[in-house]
Amino acid sequence: MGVTLKDIADYVGLSTSSVSRVLNNKGRISEEMRKKVLKATEELNYTPNVTARELKMQRSNTIGVIIPDVTNSFYVRLLKSIDTTLWGLGYSIIFCDTDEDVGREREYFQLLKSKNVSGMIISPACKSDIYEKEIEDLNCVFVDNAPYANGKPYSFISIDNKKAAYELTQKAIDCGHKDIALIIGELEETSSKERYLGFKRCMQDNGLKVQKNRVYKGNSHFESGYKITKRLIEKRELPTCIFAHNGVEAHGVLLALKEANIRVPENISVICFDGEDNTKLIEPELTGMVQPVEEIGKIAVEMIIGNLEKSSENKTRVHLLDYYFAEGNSLAHI
């Protein structure tokens, strides 16, 4: 059996309540008492009963994180930012990868609730009713994709995807591209839908028709970018520019083109969201829009912890952060 507060109290000749005040840093504590108790915890190898403390507080010291794809560097960096920020604030993390599967997302959501986490940071895989009934009663912050909430208030952090997609499409058009193929994610995801709408509006504003055979539904994974491009190559239907939904799909596009000895950007251009490669090992460097992923993670944590420390108004809070254009070298003038 482990060392208890009573054991420490008996060891140093203090009351259990005095020892508890020292370990929880509450109330009036003399420096002599503090040193005596802390020295005793070391000598007796005392380990706090975190579970008991959390039950007493009726909340854990853990934040749950649900993401759709841990192989996507965007979410890897998001997790790193969240974990680093939480660690600095004395919180731990449980993360769940749904693999873009709504069923898994629902199960993970229920699991985290059962773990009595203090809050959840969630990037929904797709439109669903998972959060609709409980969104007002839980400490949740959504990132990248907004939840289906049927008019109920929620907290959401992202960028203006429609505006960013419009600007990226315009850059391709300004380089002379009129035949642009879009590989987009599930349109029930808010980020995918907004990027599609931004692309469509820019094409229309430039007098260019959006052809049905130039919009391809992917799944935000490497394989869909690869397979869609492979099919275009086999059918001899390549455009002058491919706009991929994210960097993961864009890397699939690059591999398919490389296997066919089609050079980027000499023979075809490729643009995308979040295609930056910090290792600088992938050639060509992808041109596109980049989200401030580390800032998204940091703000999400600040909002979650802020909700714990003070009551907040029950209203929708949407933070649209600035994005930036990565020049890269995968977009050429024609």
Side-chain angles (χ1 to χ4, degrees), residues 58-104:
Q58 294 189 330
R59 78 180 195 211
S60 75
N61 215 35
T62 303
I63 302 298
V65 180
I66 300 177
I67 60 169
D69 182 13
V70 76
T71 66
N72 186 328
S73 62
F74 173 85
Y75 294 112
V76 173
R77 292 169 62 193
L78 179 68
L79 273 174
K80 180 66 174 177
S81 174
I82 291 171
D83 183 53
T84 300
T85 309
L86 284 173
W87 182 264
L89 295 172
Y91 285 79
S92 56
I93 183 174
I94 299 176
F95 88 86
C96 309
D97 177 14
T98 67
D99 197 31
E100 303 277 358
D101 183 273
V102 175
R104 286 180 62 168

Side-chain angles (χ1 to χ4, degrees), residues 8 42 85 100 130 158 186 229 241 258 282 287 305 323:
I8 297 175
E42 291 181 7
T85 309
E100 303 277 358
I130 296 174
S158 185
E186 173 58 59
T229 306
C241 180
K258 181 179 180 181
I282 298 177
T287 299
I305 304 304
Y323 50 88

Side-chain angles (χ1 to χ4, degrees), residues 69 71-72 100 182-186 192 215-232 242-256:
D69 182 13
T71 66
N72 186 328
E100 303 277 358
L182 176 69
I183 301 177
I184 199 64
E186 173 58 59
S192 295
V215 177
Y216 300 91
K217 181 181 173 183
N219 61 11
S220 301
H221 289 272
F222 179 93
E223 301 81 42
S224 68
Y226 176 82
K227 290 179 179 178
I228 290 170
T229 306
K230 194 86 170 174
R231 193 159 59 245
L232 288 171
I242 294 177
F243 181 162
H245 174 67
N246 61 26
V248 176
E249 279 188 324
H251 290 146
V253 171
L254 291 179
L255 179 59

Side-chain angles (χ1 to χ4, degrees), residues 162 165-166 192-202:
K162 186 187 296 184
Y166 186 106
S192 295
K193 183 178 180 180
E194 293 297 303
R195 290 173 192 179
Y196 167 71
L197 292 175
F199 166 79
K200 182 179 179 181
R201 173 57 63 87
C202 184

Side-chain angles (χ1 to χ4, degrees), residues 168 242-247 250 270-275 286-289:
L168 184 53
I242 294 177
F243 181 162
H245 174 67
N246 61 26
V270 178
I271 57 177
C272 66
F273 273 72
D274 301 313
L286 287 164
T287 299
M289 294 301 183

Side-chain angles (χ1 to χ4, degrees), residues 84-202:
T84 300
T85 309
L86 284 173
W87 182 264
L89 295 172
Y91 285 79
S92 56
I93 183 174
I94 299 176
F95 88 86
C96 309
D97 177 14
T98 67
D99 197 31
E100 303 277 358
D101 183 273
V102 175
R104 286 180 62 168
E105 184 176 333
R106 189 183 302 276
E107 290 188 25
Y108 277 137
F109 178 63
Q110 296 300 327
L111 173 66
L112 290 176
K113 283 201 304 176
S114 73
K115 296 290 186 182
N116 199 33
V117 295
S118 290
M120 298 186 210
I121 299 172
I122 304 170
S123 179
C126 190
K127 180 178 178 180
S128 70
D129 63 350
I130 296 174
Y131 313 104
E132 183 179 4
K133 293 180 181 179
E134 303 173 270
I135 199 169
E136 293 176 277
D137 302 319
L138 295 173
N139 182 16
C140 292
V141 173
F142 296 89
V143 297
D144 195 36
N145 286 308
Y148 175 68
N150 198 23
K152 294 181 179 179
Y154 59 87
S155 297
F156 177 53
I157 307 169
S158 185
I159 64 169
D160 188 333
N161 278 288
K162 186 187 296 184
K163 184 171 180 285
Y166 186 106
E167 292 175 2
L168 184 53
T169 306
Q170 188 63 56
K171 286 183 180 295
I173 293 173
D174 290 344
C175 286
H177 296 277
K178 296 181 180 179
D179 185 9
I180 306 172
L182 176 69
I183 301 177
I184 199 64
E186 173 58 59
L187 289 180
E188 288 186 340
E189 294 177 354
T190 55
S191 63
S192 295
K193 183 178 180 180
E194 293 297 303
R195 290 173 192 179
Y196 167 71
L197 292 175
F199 166 79
K200 182 179 179 181
R201 173 57 63 87
C202 184

Side-chain angles (χ1 to χ4, degrees), residues 3 21 23 25 32 38 49 55 77 91 135 141 183 205 274 294:
V3 177
R21 286 202 306 274
L23 296 181
N25 197 29
E32 181 183 357
L38 293 179
N49 188 334
L55 286 173
R77 292 169 62 193
Y91 285 79
I135 199 169
V141 173
I183 301 177
D205 286 353
D274 301 313
E294 283 79 15

